[in-house]
Amino acid sequence: MLELAAALVPRLRAGERVAVITVTAVARSAPRGVGSSMAVTAGGEVIGSISGGCVEEDAVMLGLRALSYGSGLAASFGFTDEAAHAAGLACGGAIEVVAYPLSGEDDVAVAALEAALRDEPTALGLVVRDGAAAPLGTLLPVPAEDAVLTLSHAPRARLVILGAGDHAAALCRVAAAAGFAVNVCDGWGLLVTPERFPDADRLVVQAPDQYLRASADEFDARTAICVLTHDERVDIPALAVALRLPVAFVGAMGARSTVERRSGMLREAGIGDDELARLHSPLGLDLGGESPEETAVSILAEIIAARRAGSGLPLRALSTPIHGDPIGSLSCAAPRIGERA
């Protein structure tokens, strides 16, 4: 539910009532995992998705009934032999959901949603079956009693882009759309502007290596650093710092000849083989793209593959489950349910 904060908070502040539908269990394969949520307003406006379109119509009707009744309702969606034409997931799985009404008077939920909107860590307990603690669909502070699914929000993973050229601007747009908090740093202030990087969370005019040293405490095991400076006088000192930080991913653009020459210069700067092995360079997956935007997709694809332990291969070449573990991956400290809103 907390992933819907940007849409829900203004509506709740305005006095609207909504119903939230949250996935509480997944069998076999499903597009989204436990804890995923969507919402519907009393006027029929739909916010978010729990299956990519397979069961949304039935979920909306369940949410509207929860609004009408003023209480939580549970349902299951999925194909079975006995109900082949019932609402089901095209991937062959099944999900259980709880729909529950929400208003601006629900102080616990509103406080958590507002914290999520500020990108602060927060958590709620959702009662997934009736019991002594609270009725089905009640939202409680965490920790709470049994029969509670923990929904939580972790701050967005951070992408640090060093360099402010056209490739950096494209990568900032793509990464922000994918949910990353993006910092952009360059020593040339004429390039580091809100007009060029409207989606950036932070713009820094400073030598990249100095910025990394000064901001090291802000980076964690989910942080990715991409060096796009195209200038060895800048990227060698920056990489020498980045490769010794406890971050998830360090990458640098460059032709293969540049990568080989840069590796030698990094060794001369005292970077060992183990540290150098962390460097993703040339940066990006082989997608065959040429434009800054296509290159940005290639770079972000490699970051996500590294974060989620993906192979980077076409799905048709694999026999593993498409959606993977429905409770999420722990790679690069990615949140899992109940650490996911």
Side-chain angles (χ1 to χ4, degrees), residues 133-177:
L136 175 75
T138 303
L139 292 167
L140 303 170
V142 173
E145 301 293 334
D146 292 340
V148 168
L149 172 68
T150 299
L151 308 175
S152 68
H153 171 82
R156 291 169 294 164
R158 187 162 302 278
L159 172 62
V160 177
I161 301 175
L162 305 180
D166 288 347
H167 287 92
L171 180 57
C172 181
R173 292 193 296 272
V174 172

Side-chain angles (χ1 to χ4, degrees), residues 14 30 64 92 117 153 158-159 163 169 175 183 199 209 223 271-272 288 291 305 319:
L64 291 175
L117 188 61
H153 171 82
R158 187 162 302 278
L159 172 62
N183 292 4
D199 300 310
D209 62 310
T223 301
I271 298 299
S291 69
S319 59

Side-chain angles (χ1 to χ4, degrees), residues 56-300:
E56 266 61 20
E57 183 177 351
D58 292 85
V60 165
M61 297 307 297
L62 183 70
L64 291 175
R65 286 199 297 273
L67 272 180
S68 175
Y69 299 158
S71 61
L73 298 172
S76 298
F77 300 128
F79 287 117
T80 66
D81 293 337
E82 293 77 20
H85 301 290
L89 303 176
C91 49
I95 59 175
E96 295 179 10
V97 304
V98 168
Y100 45 100
L102 189 61
S103 74
E105 297 179 359
D106 296 307
D107 295 338
V108 171
V110 170
L113 285 164
E114 289 180 337
L117 188 61
R118 296 189 297 269
D119 204 25
E120 298 173 356
T122 188
L124 280 172
L126 170 65
V127 178
V128 298
R129 64 175 183 266
D130 287 314
L136 175 75
T138 303
L139 292 167
L140 303 170
V142 173
E145 301 293 334
D146 292 340
V148 168
L149 172 68
T150 299
L151 308 175
S152 68
H153 171 82
R156 291 169 294 164
R158 187 162 302 278
L159 172 62
V160 177
I161 301 175
L162 305 180
D166 288 347
H167 287 92
L171 180 57
C172 181
R173 292 193 296 272
V174 172
F180 286 82
V182 183
N183 292 4
V184 180
C185 172
D186 196 297
W188 193 11
L190 288 177
L191 292 180
V192 189
T193 65
E195 291 75 23
R196 285 175 56 79
F197 296 94
D199 300 310
D201 280 66
R202 184 180 178 191
L203 299 175
V204 180
V205 180
Q206 191 176 9
D209 62 310
Q210 295 176 6
Y211 162 65
L212 291 179
R213 289 190 185 93
S215 305
D217 291 344
E218 300 176 12
F219 309 142
D220 59 22
R222 295 191 302 150
T223 301
I225 299 175
C226 290
V227 179
L228 311 183
T229 50
H230 303 287
D231 186 340
E232 291 175 347
R233 297 169 300 176
V234 178
D235 60 26
I236 294 299
L239 285 169
V241 178
L243 289 169
R244 288 173 171 164
L245 292 174
V247 297
F249 184 100
V250 179
M253 287 187 69
R256 296 191 186 279
S257 58
T258 300
V259 172
E260 184 176 355
R261 183 173 62 254
R262 189 164 52 202
S263 295
M265 297 173 70
L266 286 168
R267 287 191 176 94
E268 291 175 3
I271 298 299
D273 288 343
D274 288 346
E275 293 168 326
L276 196 57
R278 298 183 59 210
L279 180 59
H280 296 255
S281 189
L283 180 58
L285 298 185
D286 179 17
L287 304 183
E290 296 182 355
S291 69
E293 290 74 18
E294 290 174 332
T295 302
V297 172
S298 167
I299 293 171
L300 189 64

